[in-house]
Amino acid sequence: MKIVNTSIVFFFIALTFNACLLKPTDPKKAHEQAITIDTHVDTPMQFLRNNFDIGSLNEAPTSRVDLPRMKQGGLDAIFFAIFTNQRQRTPTNSSLAYHMAHQLIDSTEKAIKAHEHIAELAYTTDDVIELEQEGKKAIYLGMENGFPLSENINHVQEFYNRGVRYITLSHSENNAICDSSTDPNGPEHHGLSEFGKEVVKEMNRLGMLIDVSHISDKAFYDVMALSTSPVIASHSSVRALCNHPRNMDDSMIKTLAAKGGVIQICILGAYIQPEDTTSLNYQKHEELRLKYNNWNYSNEEERQQAWAEWRQLNELYPPVLPSIADAVDHIDYVVNLVGVDYVGIGSDFDGGGGLSDCADVSDFPKITEELARRGYSKSDIAKIWGGNFLRVFKEVEAKAADYDRASL
């Protein structure tokens, strides 16, 4: 009888097992099988232009998002931002912001309705799964800047009823809800205002995601202490890698993760790497910012003119942008800090987002390729591209249902 050396057998079994573990992820399959979601783009502003068609291929810089390029990029769902810039808080300006938000929703509904055979507005976590199975794109709505609430708590439910599923509480300046991370005048409320606290409670009750991108650090911690649901940062990056007040520091990321939230890495160059303030691109944009009073427009025509000049400057003085690898460094950082369950992607396309090798949503498979190259598994990639965000969204919905049952 021949005696088998069991140690050699186990050696080869272990070798085979390890070889399977080390088998590289197929980025194409990983991207195709994931539910891919971009949680922040500013495309609705384009709908106010008569010649923009979301169903046609629109090359940058006209827009970086349309339905053909969503298909090319394997993107299943996207959040369109209902954005209003912050103006002085007068009754007139508050009314203008309120009506502008409704106008943007109206125009988005019209644009998607014209292409309902390939895209539909979505409202729940289940919608993206169902629409993906039908071969359609899911278009969600988020509100960037709570200014249109006009200090009326009833407007939270009004916009929820219109399909808005998250509110970015502030933008680049303080509003009636909370302080901004970038207001040149510094804090006003020193966190959340009393109205802001009511907004957080109402969003929890309705099942509306609270978005902490843009808000001050103190406002962030106020939200984390008050909210009974996990929250999101729809388009923010890592402050340790790019020291910008719009980004989140380690303590904030840990606090967000501890409460089950998610940070969606923003691929806008200034939030990935510090800007080169000596470049002509930077200096010309600073001149433009001052020309338009720190982007405080007196009317819609002035806003459109400013955006046209912004695009022209980028053509005349092309920015030197970070790469996909630089952006994935931010994903790596979050994963190493708190784990792979708390990070995703929010591009900020059509609001300044873009990388040297990721110009629009059709380039998203390149991000998956970089993730696979760094050893992320298919499961990890699915979490980063949408699974983590959907987990948070689902929990927010569930907690709102608990509110309803408790009120019966």
Side-chain angles (χ1 to χ4, degrees), residues 125-335:
T125 51
D126 292 335
D127 287 347
V128 64
I129 308 297
E130 294 173 5
L131 289 170
E132 194 271 340
Q133 291 172 348
E134 295 174 19
K136 294 183 179 182
K137 304 302 180 186
I139 311 297
Y140 290 91
L141 301 181
M143 176 179 284
E144 185 176 24
N145 193 1
F147 188 34
L149 298 183
S150 304
E151 300 184 53
N152 184 335
I153 197 65
N154 294 322
H155 287 168
V156 180
Q157 176 147 17
E158 178 180 335
F159 283 113
Y160 178 87
N161 292 343
R162 292 224 57 189
V164 173
R165 288 300 176 265
Y166 74 63
I167 297 177
T168 315
L169 298 181
S170 73
H171 191 242
S172 57
E173 297 177 39
N174 305 334
N175 62 17
I177 297 171
C178 66
D179 295 327
S180 167
S181 62
T182 53
D183 193 302
N185 297 314
E188 174 185 347
H189 312 289
H190 298 281
L192 281 174
S193 69
E194 290 304 312
F195 175 65
K197 293 174 184 177
E198 293 304 308
V199 169
V200 167
K201 293 175 184 177
E202 180 69 353
M203 291 176 72
N204 281 168
R205 184 186 72 82
L206 292 169
M208 185 183 284
L209 291 151
I210 296 168
D211 180 15
V212 296
S213 290
H214 280 291
I215 74 176
S216 72
D217 291 10
K218 180 58 168 62
F220 166 81
Y221 285 110
D222 285 353
V223 169
M224 299 310 297
L226 183 61
S227 178
T228 56
S229 295
V231 308
I232 66 166
S234 71
H235 58 307
S236 293
S237 298
V238 175
R239 198 176 295 177
L241 298 181
C242 181
N243 188 19
H244 194 294
R246 268 278 286 110
N247 287 341
M248 300 180 73
D249 67 22
D250 287 12
S251 177
M252 296 167 77
I253 295 169
K254 288 178 180 178
T255 303
L256 185 78
K259 292 201 69 172
V262 63
I263 174 174
Q264 303 288 108
I265 298 301
C266 179
I267 60 172
L268 191 151
Y271 307 146
I272 297 298
Q273 286 184 341
E275 289 185 278
D276 178 3
T277 57
T278 66
S279 71
L280 277 174
N281 179 273
Y282 180 88
Q283 292 172 2
K284 293 295 183 182
H285 280 95
E286 280 298 289
E287 291 173 10
L288 194 65
R289 180 180 64 81
L290 294 174
K291 176 181 176 180
Y292 287 102
N293 191 26
N294 199 34
W295 314 122
N296 286 307
Y297 311 113
S298 58
N299 52 55
E300 177 59 21
E301 291 72 22
E302 188 174 73
R303 185 190 70 80
Q304 292 194 21
Q305 178 62 29
W307 274 101
E309 292 181 36
W310 178 282
R311 290 191 293 268
Q312 186 180 36
L313 283 181
N314 282 336
E315 292 179 17
L316 293 173
Y317 311 99
V320 178
L321 296 172
S323 67
I324 287 173
D326 296 321
V328 175
D329 286 346
H330 286 249
I331 294 176
D332 279 350
Y333 191 95
V334 176
V335 171

Side-chain angles (χ1 to χ4, degrees), residues 330-344:
H330 286 249
I331 294 176
D332 279 350
Y333 191 95
V334 176
V335 171
N336 291 329
L337 184 68
V338 294
V340 75
D341 296 319
Y342 307 101
V343 64

